[in-house]
Amino acid sequence: MYMLPQDYPSISEKGKRKSELELGEWQPSPKRQDNCAAGSQSETKILSDVKDIMRRVSQRLHGRDKLSAFLKDKIKDLETEKRHLVGVFGRTGAGKSSLINAIINKEGLLPSASVSACTSVMIKVEATNGSKYEAHIEFITKKDWENEVQSLKLALEEDDDDDGGNGDCLDRDETLSALYGEEWKEKSTHSLMDNKYFRDIPEFQMSKIKILESDSAEGLSEKFVRYTRSESNETEEVKRWYWPLVKCVTVKVPDNDFLDHVTLMDLPGNGDSNRSRDQMWKEFIASCSTVWIVTEMTRAASESEAWDILEGASSLLGNGGECQQIHFICTKSDHEKPDDINKVKKAVMNAFKKRETITNHFSEDSFQVFTVSSKEFLKGENVNPDVNEILKLKEILKNLNDACSETSNYVSGAHGILSLIQGARSREVVEQKNDVCAVLEGNLSIQLNRVKKAIEDITKAFEQHLRDGVERSQNLCERKLRSFLYPSKKNNKGFHGTLKSAVKNVGIQKPKKGKRKDLNMILASCLTESIDEKFRKTFPNDLKCGNFNGAIDAFSLSTDSLIEKYKNVELQLTFLQTEENKMKTKLNKIILTQKKLIYNSLTETIRSNMKGCYKEAAAFEGPGTQKRMRDTIERHVESKMDMFEKAKNAMLEQLNDLKETVLRTLEETMEESIEHSLKTEACSLPDVLEDLEMVKKHCDELNGDQDEKK
């Protein structure tokens, strides 16, 4: 759980540290400030120095032998970049844009909902190495837009005789009117694809990214606003708003350390009716390492929309994603008393504990509540960090952005490679090499068997849980289906448009407000619920906890003990040690990616089995359409009761595939490393002793710093 620095000013210090807090720049105590600054500069300098060393060493590897080629590849593999995605959710007017502006100290970068009508466009905010502010606008394809226009027009025609049908749908009229004004009402879909409507955006027609630039945040905002929302005070000069054509906007900010390895993502809560935008939305959700739920202070615990967003996305963020932290952020905390703040935080935490859909994926330790006032913060007023916690959020981002792990991994890997180069130059320890090889190969075989058994035991446990899930799915299937097809709060007339929209969108309802509903997820819910707890423990999003109950982290060739016994091949064993650590890091990333697919395979198998009835139901028109849609779906589900067994088998097959991938990666990587470090003859390797000593020194410095931080 995130712990605050000890030197945040307390409430009793209110008014004493105005100069330290002006313009949002929190100043740590002198000792902490010196350590932070020195550590950051030191790590940056170390990384730069070691990269220069490895660049020179790579250039000196002239040989065409296998070992030289292997070493050059290993040096290339040292370059990695990890980017944390922070997803920001909240209803229109909750203060998402203002919060992002305050966090990065760029007032006016993202327009607020008070001056414009919000849309469902996704906006990424990240750093740029350039000096200008940039907006990179990615469009949907023209074919996608043509299909969407046709679908929107058809839905509007069907809604003409359907009172209340629009209540659960995105505002179709607003979408078409943004681009076409009133013209869409009188023209065919084909006519609306005329190039005259897209004359100002040739990039859309060429499927290219449009790039806008400005010297200031406000200047860029004025340029890209028409691609993200509609102005409420629309003028005659601007007749077209292009946000309906936009897939995603990436805003790039110069000179902002917070965003070096962090991307802030303003996301709609319920996805999108457009298929390609919705797919991108799901991919972004599944890639978030942190999520901010933004809501107003006065309604934080009780506001249903914020909780609906979190509940609707919880499986995509948790077991189906990689989210480690949820931050529930209460905005507009101006003039609130500390006692009231504490009551709100307690109420929000209690509300979280009662939401089983969320707690199936997230523990209490991963959920925190913050109170902020972006307006007060941007004014540079006397900010009390116990009431206005933007400073704490900035500190968390800074920790996410910490380059220490990148530096440590690079320097450690470089140390291993240089150790191998220098060690391989010695040709006088052939007998010891043979002895060490025999021990290492024996250790590898034992370790592989241990990992294999651990994964197979876990797979057997999943199989039993899934059997129970299949049985419950078949018993409760009818009840769950009826809850979707016959919602108690809907009259038949009002539900027609909602159901029609869902079958056209492979079973997914995306209301403008409220919770996203996916019939496929509802039907698969007994399966997912049967494994949720076990899955979270087996594949924790916090990689420090260890995949497969720590089986990967426990893998070891025992190079430490071998170094003590075989001093003459210490350098080669040092290389193997660093390769082992690098391989575990690589494997954990592979597992993180694959586990999302494995978990979501349950719902995807159900979706695949349901596609036929969705297509059939979507084709119905005229009187009695709603009844025919319902009957078609009910008959189809009744005839496809084996789909739950298929979903179980598909997941177990993917688990087995992951096991094979893990074992193959472990075996091939370590066998190749043993082969090149102890069995391959070196032809003409350079003397890197001085470089090795310098990198070893940096390695010790970094390890010492990390021990001190712990």
Side-chain angles (χ1 to χ4, degrees), residues 61-72:
L61 290 168
H62 302 304
R64 297 186 178 181
D65 56 293
K66 284 184 179 179
L67 183 53
S68 294
F70 173 76
L71 290 165
K72 281 176 126 10

Side-chain angles (χ1 to χ4, degrees), residues 679-690:
K679 295 182 179 181
T680 305
E681 284 296 321
C683 293
S684 57
L685 295 177
D687 185 343
V688 294
L689 183 58
E690 287 186 13

Side-chain angles (χ1 to χ4, degrees), residues 71-258:
L71 290 165
K72 281 176 126 10
D73 286 341
K74 288 296 174 184
I75 292 172
K76 286 179 187 174
D77 289 344
L78 289 174
E79 293 285 353
T80 59
E81 181 180 338
K82 183 175 182 180
R83 179 163 286 278
H84 293 274
L85 186 63
V86 178
V88 186
F89 297 87
R91 66 174 182 80
T92 302
K96 288 187 298 175
S97 299
S98 297
L99 175 62
I100 293 173
N101 290 343
I103 286 291
I104 62 175
N105 274 341
K106 301 295 178 185
E107 187 173 10
L109 179 64
L110 301 186
S112 67
S114 61
V115 296
S116 42
C118 185
T119 71
S120 59
V121 172
M122 294 171 280
I123 304 176
K124 288 196 291 182
V125 182
E126 59 189 39
T128 177
N129 293 325
S131 59
K132 290 183 178 291
Y133 292 83
E134 299 174 8
H136 293 225
I137 298 160
E138 183 180 351
F139 297 98
I140 61 175
T141 66
K142 194 169 184 179
K143 184 64 180 173
D144 267 354
W145 176 239
E146 185 174 3
N147 291 338
E148 187 169 351
V149 170
Q150 190 168 357
S151 176
L152 289 170
K153 284 174 68 67
L154 183 62
L156 283 162
E157 289 168 10
E158 291 174 346
D159 284 339
D160 281 344
D161 299 321
D162 184 10
D163 269 352
N166 275 338
D168 277 347
C169 301
L170 290 170
D171 196 335
R172 304 175 181 115
D173 188 301
E174 180 189 3
T175 300
L176 292 170
S177 297
L179 184 60
Y180 299 113
E182 298 295 307
E183 291 182 48
W184 65 268
K185 296 178 180 178
E186 309 298 330
K187 294 192 174 184
S188 67
T189 299
H190 179 73
S191 299
L192 294 174
M193 292 303 111
D194 192 289
N195 288 340
K196 71 179 182 180
Y197 296 111
F198 317 110
R199 197 170 292 134
D200 293 341
I201 45 170
E203 296 88 350
F204 168 68
Q205 302 190 72
M206 296 184 287
S207 295
K208 290 184 176 180
I209 290 176
K210 185 178 185 68
I211 299 177
L212 304 172
E213 290 184 341
S214 177
D215 292 324
S216 68
E218 294 83 356
L220 185 70
S221 181
E222 289 174 9
K223 288 184 178 182
F224 78 74
V225 67
R226 65 193 303 194
Y227 298 94
T228 60
R229 51 189 70 202
S230 298
E231 292 285 3
S232 54
N233 56 343
E234 186 173 331
T235 61
E236 285 299 315
E237 288 79 11
V238 182
K239 295 183 178 179
R240 300 197 197 289
W241 302 95
Y242 294 121
W243 58 260
L245 308 175
V246 174
K247 194 173 184 180
C248 178
V249 174
T250 302
V251 177
K252 294 181 177 283
V253 182
D255 302 322
N256 199 290
D257 294 341
F258 279 113

Side-chain angles (χ1 to χ4, degrees), residues 364-416:
E364 285 183 40
D365 286 344
S366 62
F367 185 85
Q368 292 176 271
V369 188
F370 296 88
T371 55
V372 304
S373 170
S374 304
K375 183 178 177 182
E376 177 187 72
F377 189 85
L378 285 166
K379 281 182 179 178
E381 294 176 351
N382 186 17
V383 179
N384 184 335
D386 290 316
V387 175
N388 190 351
E389 297 179 296
I390 285 184
L391 293 169
K392 299 177 186 178
L393 290 173
K394 291 182 76 158
E395 183 74 11
I396 290 171
L397 281 188
K398 183 180 175 184
N399 291 339
L400 281 178
N401 200 22
D402 187 3
C404 179
S405 59
E406 180 194 354
T407 302
S408 180
N409 290 340
Y410 189 98
V411 174
S412 172
H415 177 237

